[in-house]
Amino acid sequence: MSDKKTDISTSPAYKAPAGGWGALESTTRHLLGSKNAVKNIKSLLNTNQSDGFDCPGCAWGEEKTPNKIKFCENGAKAVNWEATSKQVGADFFNQYTLSWLKEQSNYYLEYQGRLTHPMRYNKESDKYQPISWDEAYGLIAEHLKHLDHPDQLELYTSGRASNEAAYLYQLFGRSFGTNNFPDCSNMCHEASGFALTSSIGIGKGTVTLEDFEEADTIFVFGQNPGTNHPRMLDTLRSAIKRGAKIVIFNPLKERGLEKFQHPQNPVEMLTNNATTMNSLYLSPKIGGDMAAIRGMTKSILKLSSASKLGTLLDQAFINEHTQGMDEYLQTVKETPWEKILDQSGLTRDEIDKAASIYIEADKVISTWAMGLTQHHHSVATLHELINWMALGGNIGRPGAGLCPVRGHSNVQGDRTMGINERPSDQFLDTLETQFKIAMPRQHGHSAVEAIEAMQSGGCKVFIGLGGNFAAASPDTAVTEHALSQCDLTVQISTKLNRSHLITGKDALILPCLGRTDIDQQAKGPQKITVEDSFSMVHASTGVLEPSSTEMRSEPVIIAGIANAVLGNKPIDWLKVVEDYSAIRELIAQTIPGFSEFNSKIEQPGGFYLGNTARDRNWVTQGGKAIIHSHPLPDSILPDKSAKLLHEKVLVLQTLRSHDQYNTTIYGMNDRYRGIKGERDVLFINPADIQRLGFTEGQLVDIKSLWDDGRTREIKGFKLVGYSIPAGNIAAYYPETNPLVPLDSYGVDSRTPTSKAIAVELSSHQTNRIL
Ligand SMILES: Nc1nc2c(c(=O)[nH]1)N[C@H]1C(S)=C(S)[C@@H](COP(=O)(O)OP(=O)(O)OC[C@H]3O[C@@H](n4cnc5c(=O)[nH]c(N)nc54)[C@H](O)[C@@H]3O)O[C@H]1N2
Ligand SMILES: Nc1nc2c(c(=O)[nH]1)N[C@H]1C(S)=C(S)[C@@H](COP(=O)(O)OP(=O)(O)OC[C@H]3O[C@@H](n4cnc5c(=O)[nH]c(N)nc54)[C@H](O)[C@@H]3O)O[C@H]1N2
Ligand SMILES: [Mo]
């Protein structure tokens, strides 16, 4: 593997600032180009308002300023996509066989519109056919009755489900007898939850949005907010404008982290002024962050011992609030610089610079996303980050703290509600006391384990509450085969996607309402609640008339299934969905922090759940923050790749374009990276193109290296020279998922290693006859 350093000083692709006229133009085009311009403009104005709905885009928090327009370009795309008037109903399914639909792209499938009628797959005709809701519920009950064990059921959740839906779903699953709750979080921030809980005693970020107004330095690791959390750019811009420093760690030069122009700021737009977004932009090699952070700690120790002021560490915090720091610092001292520089790909000077910024700052916030969580050694990397933040006492202090920036808009809330395959005994005890039935104690399956269970025949029924399990999961061929082994697959969804086409022996599509839709129930229109990355819980109310009366809300669908399977036990399922306050009452009685839930959500902006670590109350063994010491890994790749390495091997990360929401593809452009009209591209250092004997623009095939005898290859990707460290490449998810081996996952997190796959390239042989 080559680790030659080439100049990657700036992004070549897009010269304009992020946001700006490009964002405004794109928002307008997406709005006017949809089937429903007026309806969609109405919905945008209601996004994130106290009496409107929570943006189904990302999980970034909301400022409390009333009546401010609170959507971003990509939030607008998400709203627009859901609010289409195009429909996928019985007529649509009557036209096409599954074999034909399987040949279509992900973009085509979702673009067809909203799912409007419950459907059942008919093997004979190879088509979906309409079914009544009651028949659908009855069919699920029939299948579940015939299971040998409740653990043959997998209940997947994607992170858009509301607190109310998630709570009912977990209660249904556990009352049926299983903790099998694989969720999108298993493929996303699982390592964050694991590392935070094992260090500071709570698996959530310790900061609130107000802390960003006080921080004097913000470190952003492995995250592309310009595309995935655009409202965060606004927060970062304000910080820069008042003199705070921002340090970026990202192998790619991401435009949003270089320059930003606020599309809702008339002065900036008219004068074409943009804010330079960072004080230091470091590009470590993929997977090199743990080494880079260790380097900063080593550098800080050196600065500290040379300082006339004595220690530069927050010794009082370390003594009073941490355990294990001495051992960690000893491990750092013993790690040679050579290894740190080799694994991080950074120079000593770069690391020293970042360390100086850290030590000069009084209040530091660190944020991170998938660039840190989707690695083999993610938990160790996050422990390292927490240790380094603890050195300066940067946990549990205003203006300072840890901030995993979540993905789906309610993924954090779903976990709080009990969507967790490894629930605590305490939680299960509370449920037992409340509902007077035994809860299953055996831990359940994560996403990867669910696929393994389907493969081995251990799972017979799969139900997906949202999401696109077939396309979002690793090892596409393996996952698809696993799903097809099920007796029944059920997808509760808003839009048609790949997962509807990969059926078990029997299959159902259950169409549901989305965040923007009015949810009318027996006792009137309903609101739901969500929790953002900052542990703020607030209500969300749909404002648009649903485009079909056949669609049902997620809580109603879950109640319908539960009622068919369990009858009236342990609750009257059909009754609690007449008015969701009844569900919130159950939540109030069983989930810590939710007492008086119904009255608390009446406050505009919602309420704060609190965070024990923020209060320096460490819910750990020993009552202090635990400082974990790990050696730097020998290789950032798991053994099954590490042993196959040769000098032409590259490390691939799979990421999002600007025109997608996970597996939902809105368009074929990636504006900030200069890509137009295509997705099958491979970002690569120009020196690697040359070294490997290719030319820019050439098509290549990509094959992963994994020692299990299986071939994983995708074909025909265009080489695009880009500012990325030599030896590293990047391409879009989900096209690259066939390359991620199912058993290539993080230690303790079991998260697929979507950001580090060893691959080799070969020239693509076109079949075209000229
Ligand atoms: N518009 C839009 N918004 C979204 C989503 C979407 O698809 N579209 N998805 C939502 C979801 S579920 C999530 S989880 C978040 C995802 O938000 P991000 O984590 O920002 O998403 P990715 O595109 O995976 O980007 C990963 C970033 O990490 C960098 N990176 C990769 N490997 C490494 C590494 O080893 N070290 C470091 N330091 N950096 C690395 C990449 O260059 C890239 O900038 O966004 C959420 N918001
Ligand atoms: N290679 C690779 N793989 C990855 C990742 C990566 O970076 N690289 N990222 C991972 C991450 S971070 C995540 S979070 C997962 C995402 O995995 P998922 O959450 O499973 O996937 P999405 O693409 O977000 O799901 C989109 C589908 O959700 C449905 N949907 C949308 N809104 C609603 C709603 O309100 N209710 C219901 N019931 N359904 C709705 C629509 O039918 C839509 O087709 O993918 C993971 N997979
Ligand atoms: Mo995610």
Side-chain angles (χ1 to χ4, degrees), residues 457-486:
C459 160
K460 297 286 180 201
V461 178
F462 173 92
I463 302 181
L465 178 59
N468 186 358
F469 192 75
S473 297
D475 228 346
T476 312
V478 171
T479 295
E480 291 192 353
H481 179 257
L483 276 166
S484 71
Q485 298 300 295
C486 294

Side-chain angles (χ1 to χ4, degrees), residues 57-58 74 188-189 221-225 227-229 249-252 254 284-289 369-372 374-375 406-408 653-658 660-662 673 755:
C58 72
N74 279 352
C188 181
H189 263 293
F221 291 93
Q223 204 196 334
N224 180 23
T227 286
N228 299 313
H229 306 91
F249 281 78
N250 198 313
L252 292 187
E254 301 285 24
K285 285 198 288 198
I286 288 172
D289 302 84
M370 297 304 99
L372 293 201
Q374 295 177 330
H375 285 289
R406 304 282 170 185
H408 268 299
Q653 61 147 319
T654 62
L655 40 53
R656 291 153 174 81
S657 84
H658 195 63
Q660 76 181 81
Y661 194 94
N662 298 338
R673 300 193 186 110
K755 294 291 185 276

